[in-house]
Amino acid sequence: MAETNDTDIEVNNDASDSNKFSYDDYFHSKETFLIFVLLYVDGEKRADFLGIEEEMYGSKSKAKEWRNSLVKILHSDRCKHLSADEATAKVNEIYSRMKKHAK
């Protein structure tokens, strides 16, 4: 089951399936979970965890909404994690790819 956090980012937090885990069991905060996913997870799993949907590659407004909600959490002015800037850069990289394909 997906849980919607304070900034409307859906992250997968369902531990009912043996292949899934609850980020609450492994991470101190949603910020650290998001940073880990952005920097160390790729492909469909990353998209799944970050709530990236196919329609975001077709709609600049949806892509921008997704980007802004993540940057609001991860920007180094707000998030003091050592990798916050690197994670924000990764969000912007993904967002650039979304914009390239969007109308």
Side-chain angles (χ1 to χ4, degrees), residues 4-38:
T4 303
N5 65 22
D6 300 336
T7 59
D8 298 332
I9 296 286
E10 286 192 19
V11 291
N12 193 335
N13 194 28
D14 185 1
S16 63
D17 187 344
S18 62
N19 292 331
K20 297 180 182 178
F21 65 92
S22 170
Y23 66 82
D24 294 340
D25 292 339
Y26 297 96
F27 297 95
H28 294 264
S29 66
K30 289 179 183 165
E31 291 87 355
T32 56
F33 171 74
L34 292 169
I35 290 168
F36 176 80
V37 169
L38 283 160

Side-chain angles (χ1 to χ4, degrees), residues 36-98:
F36 176 80
V37 169
L38 283 160
L39 301 181
Y40 300 105
V41 179
D42 283 329
E44 285 184 42
K45 271 292 185 205
R46 177 169 60 192
D48 220 16
F49 286 133
L50 296 177
I52 297 173
E53 298 171 356
E54 212 172 301
E55 67 186 22
M56 292 173 185
Y57 284 88
S59 167
K60 285 184 181 180
S61 64
K62 295 252 183 216
K64 186 174 184 177
E65 185 180 320
W66 173 84
R67 178 217 172 262
N68 290 346
S69 61
L70 275 175
V71 169
K72 194 182 295 184
I73 297 169
L74 298 173
H75 194 277
S76 60
D77 288 345
R78 186 166 185 188
C79 179
K80 300 306 176 195
H81 192 281
L82 295 174
S83 299
D85 286 333
E86 189 179 358
T88 301
K90 185 59 90 170
V91 168
N92 287 324
E93 179 185 315
I94 295 168
Y95 173 63
S96 290
R97 285 196 306 262
M98 288 176 176

